[in-house]
Amino acid sequence: MNDMTHSSGRLVVVSNRLPVIVKLVDGHWTFTPGSGGLVSALAPVLRNRGGIWIGWPGTTEADPATLSRLLQEATRHSGYTLKPVMLDQRDKEDFYYGFANEVIWPLFHDLQSHCNFAPRYWEAYTRINRRFADVIMQTTRPGDFIWIHDYHLMNVGQELRAQGASARTGFFLHIPFPPLDIYMKLPWRFPLLRALLDYDLIGFQTLRDRRNFLQCVRLVAPDMSVTGKGQVVTLRAGNRELRVGTFPIGIDYQEFARESKAEPVIRKARELHEDLPGRQVILGVDRLDYTKGICHRFEAFRNALQRFPELHHRTTLIQVVVPSREDIPKYNALKMEMERLVGEINGQFTQSGWVPIHYIFRSLSRLELLAYYRACEIALITPLKDGMNLVAKEFCAATPANNGVLILSEFAGAAAQLQKGALLVNPYNVEEVAEAIQRAIVMGPGERRARMHKLKRFVRQYDIFWWVDAFLRAAIAKDLSNFPVPEEYVPHMETISL
Ligand code: ADQ
């Protein structure tokens, strides 16, 4: 428990989505409580402090009376208050799909060519961020701590200040912050940066993201100074003083480890493997997203099959893709490209009794997901860029201690923490990824165990509860020197003689 748990002010969490799913089932409005690491880590703090969660309930259709009844029920169920911010269909298109997911998402993942900088998107973003701030103003009081999450809501802190809020505010960015040259492509680069400076604490996943952010701030505020050098530093720019920290998000390790050893999971994992006798199974699990590097991964697997024919019949790649944002054209195009590549590679290599790629396009139940983590020998997680990547950590928690090998992109935020146990690769280098696959397949049990031991230790130590605690402590701590310097990953340079 952290000091914030005992402080008199309440914790107010604000995110684009509320941790409930409200939807129409057979003509009746229903709600399903959200699950996932963030909800379970924040719930105890919210309950202890009489907290509030503010966000969009995920529907544009429910009438206000029905919604209010459902959220009251959901509040009783969760033990903390749920407050809705309503979006209509146009808001959803311009704010959520538009600015958040066609501007910020691709740009912050270094893919400026995927951006659609339509001016109406920015107008919708500022308008909806103001709407969130209005609801926060109506719901909170001065001693509260307001913790705002993610790239959908970067302007909320500034809106709150403009409306005279005196409560302290923190913001955590779950996705990467891009380098200066890329950030500068954003038509609204200066107002957005200024808005971020209005928070009292900003958290990033890694040192890489914090460094990128500070470089951008230096441009708008040449008088900027930074003091401290640990996990949390103090930034002064003009009349603003705020804290900026790195807080790599974790998972509920104990829960993943425990659930993965439950009898139904073990049985299901055995069944999955019985269908693939004598094979080492390689697993990819991703949301449908062009940042996850799925097509590059297929090309790397093809390269491995071409260069290392001994892998034929010895390995199968199971790629699970969870449907996501399919209303955005780029996502639909990606789906088609993935399916084309799977067809092409399977057409090229399939032999009697062996299909190289098994492709699954749907959401998995928790039991199935855990069974896949448990059943596979190798996790192949190769995003082109990722804030953190929780799948990598979930695999480490769920795989048996002496079996799994993690191949991880050096551009995933998780690489900084997991570099000592994972095989790190550049996902753009298909030959290097193919060699890592070959290396993982032939890796002996001793090396597997030693690597996985390190991985599990890190994921266990820096779990989701550590993360919540570290962020909340950074918001109130008097002395920042107690925060350790975080790990950083810098690609190793081969020795060059000049
Ligand atoms: P995401 O881009 O969604 O998150 P990630 O961190 O990998 O990426 O989390 C995906 C989650 O979805 C995992 O918890 C996983 O278990 C779940 N999931 C994946 N496939 C599934 C399936 N088939 N069925 C059911 N569930 C599935 C963003 C950022 C990340 C950052 C997180 C948290 O992009 O970089 O790590 O937020 O901050």
Side-chain angles (χ1 to χ4, degrees):
M1 283 291 138
N2 59 65
D3 297 344
M4 288 293 273
T5 313
H6 306 295
S7 104
S8 56
R10 299 169 304 175
L11 174 64
V12 179
V13 174
V14 187
S15 62
N16 177 49
R17 290 292 297 266
L18 274 176
V20 286
I21 300 153
V22 173
K23 63 175 182 218
L24 202 54
V25 179
D26 299 331
H28 297 283
W29 284 102
T30 61
F31 79 90
T32 321
S35 54
L38 186 60
V39 180
S40 48
L42 287 170
V45 191
L46 286 164
R47 276 188 212 116
N48 283 342
R49 296 178 32 162
I52 304 169
W53 198 315
I54 296 172
W56 177 48
T59 172
T60 55
E61 283 146 24
D63 66 274
T66 308
L67 195 66
S68 156
R69 179 179 54 74
L70 281 174
L71 291 183
Q72 272 170 23
E73 251 178 77
T75 293
R76 273 197 298 280
H77 185 272
S78 60
Y80 50 88
T81 307
L82 296 161
K83 280 272 168 212
V85 178
M86 293 313 294
L87 301 184
D88 64 23
Q89 194 53 33
R90 202 188 114 216
D91 300 333
K92 196 173 145 189
E93 277 158 26
D94 289 352
F95 156 73
Y96 177 68
Y97 285 124
F99 198 79
N101 287 318
E102 281 194 85
V103 177
I104 297 298
W105 178 268
L107 190 76
F108 280 33
H109 286 87
D110 303 351
L111 295 166
Q112 67 266 39
S113 58
H114 285 44
C115 292
N116 175 4
F117 294 121
R120 72 174 189 285
Y121 290 171
W122 171 248
E123 184 280 318
Y125 190 74
T126 51
R127 183 165 44 79
I128 302 302
N129 273 239
R130 195 170 311 125
R131 190 179 301 164
F132 271 82
D134 293 342
V135 176
I136 298 169
M137 287 301 283
Q138 290 152 17
T139 319
T140 60
R141 43 187 195 239
D144 295 341
F145 179 70
I146 304 169
W147 186 0
I148 290 151
H149 287 261
D150 226 358
Y151 62 104
H152 317 84
L153 302 176
M154 289 185 280
N155 270 359
V156 170
Q158 186 177 53
E159 292 292 346
L160 286 171
R161 242 168 238 291
Q163 297 192 28
S166 59
R168 278 170 311 147
T169 58
F171 173 77
F172 184 78
L173 185 68
H174 289 256
I175 66 172
F177 196 91
L180 176 70
D181 278 3
I182 291 179
Y183 181 79
M184 284 300 143
K185 308 275 168 17
L186 180 69
W188 309 278
R189 56 207 177 174
F190 297 128
L192 192 66
L193 264 186
R194 289 208 188 88
L196 282 169
L197 293 175
D198 270 337
Y199 288 105
D200 297 312
L201 167 66
I202 303 185
F204 296 99
Q205 299 270 26
T206 64
L207 284 176
R208 164 194 78 185
D209 304 309
R210 185 173 79 185
R211 190 179 324 107
N212 287 343
F213 171 71
L214 291 177
Q215 274 177 1
C216 291
V217 174
R218 201 174 293 283
L219 208 75
V220 286
D223 68 334
M224 161 187 129
S225 74
V226 175
T227 47
K229 50 182 171 358
Q231 188 185 355
V232 189
V233 296
T234 303
L235 161 64
R236 290 185 189 82
N239 61 355
R240 291 289 307 135
E241 179 179 314
L242 59 147
R243 293 175 172 189
V244 188
T246 59
F247 307 93
I249 195 167
I251 60 164
D252 187 344
Y253 177 91
Q254 298 297 355
E255 187 171 85
F256 269 93
R258 193 182 59 247
E259 285 185 1
S260 69
K261 292 187 196 108
E263 187 45 40
V265 174
I266 294 178
R267 201 177 324 121
K268 179 84 186 157
R270 205 181 303 126
E271 280 166 23
L272 291 172
H273 226 301
E274 274 165 8
D275 290 342
L276 302 162
R279 310 257 163 82
Q280 289 206 34
V281 179
I282 304 174
L283 179 71
V285 177
D286 308 85
R287 259 187 328 96
L288 175 68
D289 204 291
Y290 46 76
T291 61
K292 301 293 181 186
I294 305 169
C295 291
H296 292 71
R297 186 179 312 160
F298 287 150
E299 286 298 357
F301 189 59
R302 181 195 334 241
N303 188 283
L305 296 178
Q306 274 161 345
R307 287 167 60 208
F308 310 110
E310 64 275 21
L311 298 185
H312 298 190
H313 289 278
R314 265 185 80 186
T315 186
T316 295
L317 170 62
I318 299 182
Q319 176 63 55
V320 183
V321 180
V322 194
S324 173
R325 304 180 196 165
E326 280 173 277
D327 295 354
I328 299 176
K330 280 265 185 282
Y331 285 73
N332 202 30
L334 169 69
K335 179 167 185 274
M336 284 169 26
E337 177 57 11
M338 277 181 342
E339 289 171 0
R340 190 190 69 74
L341 267 178
V342 172
E344 195 177 281
I345 296 169
N346 280 343
Q348 194 178 348
F349 292 99
T350 296
Q351 292 167 15
S352 166
W354 174 61
V355 178
I357 303 179
H358 291 205
Y359 169 72
I360 301 164
F361 184 75
R362 62 184 165 83
S363 190
L364 299 181
S365 68
R366 176 91 164 178
L367 187 146
E368 285 178 300
L369 183 66
L370 288 166
Y372 275 108
Y373 285 152
R374 216 187 146 83
C376 73
E377 279 77 17
I378 300 163
L380 184 56
I381 301 175
T382 52
L384 304 179
K385 192 148 185 186
D386 217 330
M388 180 53 52
N389 194 296
L390 295 181
V391 171
K393 293 187 171 181
E394 292 168 2
F395 168 71
C396 295
T399 187
N402 56 0
N403 197 26
V405 183
L406 173 64
I407 303 177
L408 179 64
S409 163
E410 59 186 65
F411 306 127
Q417 290 178 306
L418 304 184
Q419 57 183 305
K420 294 204 177 81
L423 299 180
L424 291 192
V425 290
N426 171 357
Y428 291 99
N429 186 342
V430 293
E431 291 186 325
E432 186 191 46
V433 178
E435 284 154 23
I437 291 173
Q438 157 73 358
R439 185 168 164 208
I441 298 258
V442 299
M443 189 184 286
E447 186 178 351
R448 284 182 185 225
R449 200 176 305 115
R451 285 177 174 275
M452 192 42 72
H453 181 71
K454 288 184 190 144
L455 291 169
K456 281 182 184 279
R457 187 155 45 82
F458 244 101
V459 180
R460 186 169 53 232
Q461 185 172 354
Y462 298 105
D463 67 2
I464 185 74
F465 302 100
W466 169 84
W467 177 79
V468 170
D469 187 64
F471 189 89
L472 294 180
R473 268 191 304 120
I476 57 164
K478 293 213 167 44
D479 178 9
L480 295 179
S481 63
N482 294 330
F483 288 85
V485 179
E487 302 270 329
E488 176 161 34
Y489 174 71
V490 180
H492 301 291
M493 204 179 5
E494 285 157 25
T495 316
I496 305 170
S497 35
L498 298 170

